[in-house]
Amino acid sequence: MTQRTIAFTDAVFAPDEERRIELGSLTIKPNDLIVLIGGNGSGKTSIAKALNAEIPLISGVAPDNYHPVLVSFEKQMELFEADYQMRNSDCTTAEEEIGITPRKFLKDDDQSLLPDLIKGLNLELLMDKPIRQLSGGEGRKVLIAHALASKPNLMIFDTPFDALDVETRADLLKLINEIHIKYETPTVLIVNRPSEIPETLTSMGIIANCKIAKLATRAEIEADEDAKALLGYAKIPDITLPKPPVKFRLPPIQGDTIVSLKKVNVEYQRKVLDNLDFEVKKGQQWHIMGPNGAGKSTLLSLITGDNPLVYTNDVTVFGFKRGSGESIWDIKKYYGVVSGALHLDYRVNGPALNVVLSGFYDSIGLYIRPSDEEVNIARKWLRLAGLLDKEHASFKSLSFGQQRLLLIVRALVKNPPLLILDEPLQGLDGYARALVKSFISYAMQHGDTSILFVSHHQEDLPEGFTNRLSFVKDGENSFKVVQEELKH
């Protein structure tokens, strides 16, 4: 299919009565790959939506009769929401109870293209697995297959590399290069990290205040001081984290072991965990790594109790043996958690301040009137995160990165003995990543906080981690678990 130039002239879009999204005069040629960067809350997702013709044009000229496709975390959330609605209706059939699978989701796409896409994105073994059981990275790959199979004449990627493992990121980078060169499909790529910028880009720009503020060569943009901070070259001043109110300070945990898994077995379509023994001692910090779908999130879900198979295994957390009549609230108070699953489940649309306050009560939403002391501490956290001016903004009105920052603060606010951080830096710009790393370092250095930290990016790991648990490929579709002590 012959592609044509896509041109916007003085284009301004309006998602609501107050906000304006400015694409200005932007020309995208058939083989263009335009890379855009921007801070959290700068309007990256709004720019992507404007390019995707999702926002009404109020002035200027936008192209007509073109077929853009957008891949983003919001599209992934929409898919999860559709699956949730399907499985929770009053008249659910046996088929609907299974929910959406990749095979169902992709059934109306171009069947001549799908086989190569499914193979290239390593989706063969996931086609009949419920969407809700996929890892964040696996779900992202399904969306990418769907987007490419629709034969777009403009591809838009909004931070597509987040939550993808090292191998898949490399494959996606190669694929993005091919899209605009081999298939002559113009591409706009929004990224948060220097390593996510393809070598074949044709231009690079900065998004600020809901517009493309600067578009130039890569060398010119990377020399810009604002761009340096956005891409992760920022220096964070020394910080001091607020202490929680006295009533939330927990009694010491008895013994040295806070998490114990003995001979744990989990099997879905394959053996995910095979006779796993795993312990977390007080003050240990574990880096957990491995490919998408290897079992990292499954392991964490056993520790939090969100996986029902915890009750068929020998799992003890904070001295409570799971399945012995313990209250979930007895356990929740000891840990803070950040994960893609929590982000998807945080459907309560309260103000940002309430999101932070909910961390004291381990709830999604705030249902208890907080004390003045709790409110003051929550505001201190918002100030540290650079979100104090968003105190009254609703959670869903914030950008993905701002939402993720709030959920990180929510996990830290009560200074728990255990932090469970599953890809916590997903969606954060360079400055925010450096800021959160400083939060984690402070928690490690000023107390007995143990940490379970899942990340596909070695550079995201703060200094001082004591142990590593790795899921290592051991056959066509199996993984072995390797545990090691880190040397410093």
Side-chain angles (χ1 to χ4, degrees):
M1 180 171 68
T2 302
Q3 301 288 2
R4 62 188 176 92
T5 296
I6 296 167
F8 298 84
T9 305
D10 298 325
V12 179
F13 301 80
D16 50 48
E17 291 184 359
E18 296 181 359
R19 289 180 297 161
R20 296 293 180 266
I21 315 300
E22 299 180 28
L23 287 183
S25 294
L26 176 67
T27 301
I28 307 173
K29 297 176 183 176
N31 65 345
D32 273 352
L33 171 54
I34 299 173
V35 175
L36 301 175
I37 60 174
N40 296 136
S42 63
K44 299 192 297 289
T45 295
S46 293
I47 291 288
K49 286 182 174 181
L51 288 166
N52 198 42
E54 291 182 39
I55 301 175
L57 178 75
I58 61 167
S59 66
V61 178
D64 55 8
N65 298 322
Y66 83 114
H67 175 43
V69 175
L70 169 62
V71 173
S72 66
F73 180 79
E74 281 198 358
K75 297 299 181 187
Q76 196 164 345
M77 289 183 74
E78 288 173 10
L79 178 57
F80 274 87
E81 187 62 32
D83 175 72
Y84 177 83
Q85 295 300 333
M86 174 187 287
R87 294 182 292 104
N88 287 274
S89 69
D90 292 333
C91 304
T92 305
T93 65
E95 180 74 9
E96 288 171 337
E97 283 182 359
I98 297 172
I100 298 173
T101 63
R103 191 177 306 281
K104 292 177 186 176
F105 181 62
L106 299 171
K107 67 181 176 62
D108 295 326
D109 291 328
D110 190 317
Q111 298 303 308
S112 67
L113 294 175
L114 272 179
D116 286 343
L117 290 170
I118 289 168
K119 183 178 180 181
L121 291 165
N122 297 315
L123 294 174
E124 298 103 321
L125 297 173
L126 304 176
M127 293 301 288
D128 296 306
K129 190 174 181 180
I131 286 287
R132 66 186 180 279
Q133 292 180 8
L134 300 182
S135 71
E138 289 170 336
R140 187 69 49 80
K141 291 193 289 184
V142 172
L143 283 183
I144 291 168
H146 173 61
L148 294 174
S150 70
K151 296 183 178 178
N153 55 16
L154 176 62
M155 246 343 265
I156 309 152
F157 290 103
D158 186 358
T159 57
F161 296 96
D162 283 349
L164 297 183
D165 59 45
V166 175
E167 183 178 349
T168 306
R169 289 202 308 274
D171 290 343
L172 178 56
L173 203 58
K174 179 182 176 183
L175 183 60
I176 289 172
N177 281 323
E178 289 181 349
I179 290 169
H180 81 106
I181 295 176
K182 182 177 177 181
Y183 300 106
E184 292 192 334
T185 300
T187 303
V188 175
L189 172 64
I190 300 173
V191 302
N192 283 321
R193 301 170 185 265
S195 60
E196 298 167 350
I197 301 174
E199 290 298 326
T200 60
L201 84 166
T202 52
S203 58
M204 190 169 173
I206 299 175
I207 296 171
N209 300 316
C210 292
K211 63 182 177 182
I212 301 175
K214 187 176 183 180
L215 192 63
T217 65
R218 178 174 184 171
E220 288 176 280
I221 295 297
E222 289 186 336
D224 188 287
E225 289 303 316
D226 290 336
K228 290 178 182 178
L230 294 173
L231 290 171
Y233 306 115
K235 182 172 176 57
I236 303 296
D238 291 338
I239 53 115
T240 300
L241 300 186
K243 292 182 179 179
V246 173
K247 75 175 186 177
F248 293 106
R249 294 176 194 169
L250 298 168
I253 300 166
Q254 299 301 310
D256 291 329
T257 303
I258 61 175
V259 173
S260 173
L261 284 71
K262 295 180 180 178
K263 306 299 179 189
V264 164
N265 288 283
V266 174
E267 186 170 358
Y268 298 124
Q269 293 172 313
R270 67 171 179 84
K271 200 81 168 178
V272 179
L273 299 176
D274 187 6
N275 282 321
L276 175 66
D277 290 319
F278 177 55
E279 285 189 340
V280 179
K281 302 286 190 181
K282 284 182 181 177
Q284 283 184 338
Q285 287 85 37
W286 284 82
H287 178 206
I288 300 174
M289 59 186 298
N292 294 132
K296 304 182 299 296
S297 296
T298 297
L299 171 63
L300 298 185
S301 70
L302 290 171
I303 295 169
T304 61
D306 293 324
N307 191 320
L309 293 179
V310 68
Y311 300 110
T312 64
N313 281 287
D314 188 345
V315 178
T316 301
V317 185
F318 309 113
F320 297 95
K321 185 149 193 271
R322 300 312 304 256
S324 61
E326 78 288 352
S327 161
I328 61 168
W329 302 108
D330 288 335
I331 296 175
K332 277 181 175 289
K333 65 185 180 184
Y334 282 101
Y335 69 82
V337 63
V338 178
S339 68
L342 172 67
H343 202 148
L344 287 167
D345 286 340
Y346 209 99
R347 293 185 171 91
V348 177
N349 195 24
L353 181 65
N354 284 12
V355 175
V356 178
L357 288 165
S358 72
F360 288 126
Y361 298 95
D362 309 304
S363 58
I364 293 180
L366 185 66
Y367 308 98
I368 296 173
R369 185 179 179 85
S371 68
D372 290 344
E373 182 185 19
E374 292 162 38
V375 171
N376 288 336
I377 290 172
R379 284 188 175 129
K380 287 180 180 179
W381 275 104
L382 287 174
R383 183 177 290 107
L384 277 174
L387 294 172
L388 188 59
D389 63 329
K390 304 295 183 184
E391 174 182 338
H392 302 294
S394 66
F395 182 72
K396 291 184 179 179
S397 73
L398 300 175
S399 72
F400 175 84
Q402 290 169 329
Q403 290 178 5
R404 183 53 64 98
L405 257 181
L406 274 180
L407 294 178
I408 290 167
V409 168
R410 175 184 177 272
L412 287 162
V413 71
K414 62 183 178 182
N415 189 26
L418 178 64
L419 279 173
I420 300 172
L421 306 175
D422 190 354
E423 291 288 347
L425 306 190
Q426 180 182 346
L428 300 186
D429 62 39
Y431 182 84
R433 290 197 303 273
L435 184 65
V436 172
K437 285 175 65 175
S438 73
F439 291 170
I440 296 169
S441 294
Y442 186 95
M444 290 164 53
Q445 295 165 11
H446 296 82
D448 297 319
T449 300
S450 295
I451 299 173
L452 302 177
F453 190 103
V454 174
S455 178
H456 296 298
H457 295 270
Q458 183 67 37
E459 69 271 18
D460 285 352
L461 201 68
E463 291 184 8
F465 270 65
T466 60
N467 298 78
R468 177 173 292 129
L469 183 149
S470 305
F471 287 82
V472 180
K473 208 158 183 60
D474 186 31
E476 182 63 28
N477 189 37
S478 60
F479 299 86
K480 64 180 179 181
V481 175
V482 177
Q483 302 179 46
E484 59 183 315
E485 188 174 339
L486 299 178
K487 306 297 182 184
H488 296 287

